[in-house]
Amino acid sequence: MNLPRGKDFLPPWPLRSGHIQTMLSSSGVRRVLLPKAAQAVMDGAEQVTVNGGDGVRLTGAYTAQKQRAQPRGLAVLFHGWEGSVDSTYVLQTGSRLLADGWDIFRLNFRDHGDSHHLNEALFHSCRIDEVVHALIDISQRYPNRPMALAGFSLGGNFALRAALQAPAAGLPLSYALAVCPIIDPSEGLFSLEASAPWFYQAYFMHKWRRSLQAKQAAFPQREYFELSELKQNLRGLTASLVARHTDFGSLEAYLDGYSVAGRALADLHVPATILTARDDPVIPVDAFEKLELPANVELDISTFGGHCGFIRGWDMTSFTDEYIATRFNAIVP
């Protein structure tokens, strides 16, 4: 089977701008212009609450395929930071895999989607254990089929860390694919501050503050942050999160806690693919080029694509749908 490669992605001008690709990836315009088939995964989806261990509950949506007598397998999809199971890129990827005969499970991380009320403690990016526990629960609910995992941005980072822990945790994961994953969080944070246009940080901060307000409304007896803290920039509010809501002694220790940079993935035994774009304005490509990866992990760096964009044309469909589907289908022909 000939698998598509990042070098095959050549969008028309002006979609060759990494900034345009990035801004369109999650825009409302894209959702409106996408063909109806890109939202097929929502039809008949079952809302599910899964066990994250230690009383943690996470939400998700399960959609059974109807194309084959038996599903190819179970595709689990992770959204990015402040995204959800209904993010455009998740729906589009899920709909394509559904059409190819995969059952689909879209998982919300803690405090994403409408799940702020389920767990009193706040989400942070080092909560990998509850995600692995949830994946084990999902695999037991829908057994006897290969499980493949795909994640975007922070979800790609979680996908790689879940794959790293899978063998020891007893998680039957066959394959993982990460699109534009966060590699070195400290470098990514610095990049947003130092070199990315101001509106990226403004966009993320607006969504994060809105999420924190939803959390506060769900648990009015708690004071998660003081008003002055909420007015800080990305670095300042992250430092306050670390100090107030984690056991990490410093911002640097917290960022190192979910880093997959350098040799961190050297012992990854689950077959995996990492797809990124050289023009990604959010995640610097340098971190990918410094990775030390085993032979079973494919690193694919495209010239174009922006951050989780890879938009092919004015129909707003994404190259990543074909890219992910062909690799998933190669697991189970």
Side-chain angles (χ1 to χ4, degrees), residues 21-35:
Q21 286 279 340
T22 301
M23 287 185 289
L24 285 176
S25 64
S26 299
S27 72
V29 172
R30 183 183 180 200
R31 184 180 285 258
V32 170
L33 292 179
L34 277 172

Side-chain angles (χ1 to χ4, degrees), residues 255-297:
L255 296 175
D256 286 344
Y258 67 103
S259 172
V260 292
R263 288 188 49 80
L265 299 174
D267 293 327
L268 177 55
H269 298 298
V270 173
T273 297
I274 300 171
L275 172 66
T276 192
R278 196 167 295 280
D279 65 354
D280 186 333
V282 177
I283 312 291
V285 74
D286 292 356
F288 293 93
E289 294 174 330
K290 296 174 184 175
L291 287 172
E292 298 181 35
L293 300 171
N296 58 294
V297 179

Side-chain angles (χ1 to χ4, degrees), residues 261-333:
R263 288 188 49 80
L265 299 174
D267 293 327
L268 177 55
H269 298 298
V270 173
T273 297
I274 300 171
L275 172 66
T276 192
R278 196 167 295 280
D279 65 354
D280 186 333
V282 177
I283 312 291
V285 74
D286 292 356
F288 293 93
E289 294 174 330
K290 296 174 184 175
L291 287 172
E292 298 181 35
L293 300 171
N296 58 294
V297 179
E298 172 192 27
L299 174 61
D300 194 357
I301 302 177
S302 171
T303 301
F304 306 105
H307 185 65
C308 296
F310 297 94
I311 295 170
R312 292 184 292 198
W314 302 114
D315 64 353
M316 295 291 119
T317 59
S318 176
F319 169 78
T320 58
D321 298 342
E322 177 75 12
Y323 189 95
I324 294 170
T326 54
R327 279 164 173 75
F328 276 31
N329 292 344
I331 300 170
V332 187

